[in-house]
Amino acid sequence: MAIKCVDLISENPLAWKKATRHPFLDECRSGTIKTNQFNTWLVQDYLFVIEFTRMAARLVTIAPVKHMDILLGGLSALKDELNWFREKATERSLNLTSARQESCELYCLFLNDLKEYTYAVQSVAFWAIELAYNQAWQLPGPMVQPYNEYADRWGNQAFTEYVKMLELQANEALIEIDPETEKQLKKVFLKIADFEKDFWQMAYLDNS
Ligand code: HMH
């Protein structure tokens, strides 16, 4: 039996839990997150999404034709997301030209390194990164203002369906992978879980 996306989660429940449950998100739910901590996350996530968009674009160049439609929809959503980040930053008077903090920088370098891998590995990585945010912003439950807008961006039903489509496509790509690729896949998945955990923590590290 070919490995599937869900197997990666069920084989690594603790790592995935740390990726998707964090005090940062609970404090957004209750409204107790400090504004400067939230702003740190916001700016760093914008910087991350720029590199994630480049990864999405690279994925289009190697995808089978039947997978392109979903991926192009994803790119279009990323266009809106980048503009939305700029709006949020303007509302909060944030400087989007700040430097990437270490956890963001390492994650972005990793995204760039993914280009050396097969489509199967890259499509699973793309799914896992989107799913992490989809679940992380849903799991705390309804958030207070202004954080409900952020929870809705990644937790909404349409985004959930999009992530399901990414999972189906990734599973198709996994049907005929060799044992070496399967090993790479597991490592890449665990790295993503770890990067996601560190990304939440970053909000508490630097609030200059
Ligand atoms: C760190 N992971 C991180 N940021 C995001 N915006 C996503 C995943 C999903 O888009």
Side-chain angles (χ1 to χ4, degrees):
M1 273 284 281
I3 184 166
K4 290 201 158 101
C5 288
V6 282
D7 301 329
L8 293 164
I9 296 177
S10 57
E11 286 166 8
N12 303 288
L14 190 60
W16 192 249
K17 187 174 177 206
K18 289 180 177 166
T20 53
R21 308 260 15 197
H22 192 279
F24 176 89
L25 292 153
D26 295 322
E27 290 172 25
C28 288
R29 186 196 54 74
S30 63
T32 54
I33 188 76
K34 292 199 173 73
T35 300
N36 59 352
Q37 292 171 339
F38 187 79
N39 288 346
T40 294
W41 165 79
L42 181 58
V43 172
Q44 294 296 314
D45 208 49
Y46 169 74
L47 299 173
F48 171 84
V49 171
I50 292 174
E51 298 310 311
F52 187 58
T53 302
R54 298 191 203 284
M55 176 197 171
R58 286 191 296 270
L59 201 54
V60 173
T61 68
I62 54 173
V65 174
K66 64 179 178 189
H67 288 184
M68 283 174 67
D69 197 58
I70 296 290
L71 296 175
L72 289 168
L75 273 176
S76 166
L78 284 165
K79 164 188 145 69
D80 292 344
E81 189 164 305
L82 287 166
N83 287 324
W84 172 82
F85 268 114
R86 291 179 194 115
E87 266 173 41
K88 295 296 116 188
T90 303
E91 281 170 23
R92 291 170 173 264
S93 308
L94 302 176
N95 175 11
L96 287 176
T97 63
S98 351
R100 294 197 290 240
Q101 288 190 35
E102 189 181 18
S103 298
C104 181
E105 175 69 6
L106 293 174
Y107 203 174
C108 288
L109 290 172
F110 166 82
L111 292 185
N112 189 49
D113 291 345
L114 282 173
K115 66 174 179 284
E116 307 301 335
Y117 290 84
T118 57
Y119 173 68
V121 174
Q122 290 187 49
S123 63
V124 170
F126 193 69
W127 157 76
I129 294 168
E130 293 288 44
L131 181 70
Y133 259 41
N134 180 231
Q135 295 192 341
W137 286 101
Q138 273 176 356
L139 286 170
M143 293 193 180
V144 300
Q145 274 189 351
Y147 307 113
N148 56 342
E149 181 183 349
Y150 295 80
D152 186 57
R153 168 151 288 275
W154 290 283
N156 75 70
Q157 196 50 40
F159 192 77
T160 304
E161 313 253 311
Y162 161 66
V163 176
K164 287 219 175 77
M165 298 306 291
L166 293 179
E167 178 179 351
L168 293 178
Q169 295 196 164
N171 282 339
E172 272 182 32
L174 290 177
I175 287 173
E176 286 185 358
I177 57 166
D178 56 35
E180 185 51 38
T181 309
E182 189 167 323
K183 269 193 218 154
Q184 290 174 351
L185 190 70
K186 293 183 176 188
K187 274 198 197 157
V188 162
F189 179 81
L190 275 175
K191 278 196 183 177
I192 289 170
D194 226 40
F195 281 128
E196 289 290 334
K197 165 182 65 76
D198 292 345
F199 209 95
W200 298 122
Q201 194 56 34
M202 199 166 40
Y204 299 90
L205 298 181
D206 173 299
N207 293 293
S208 49

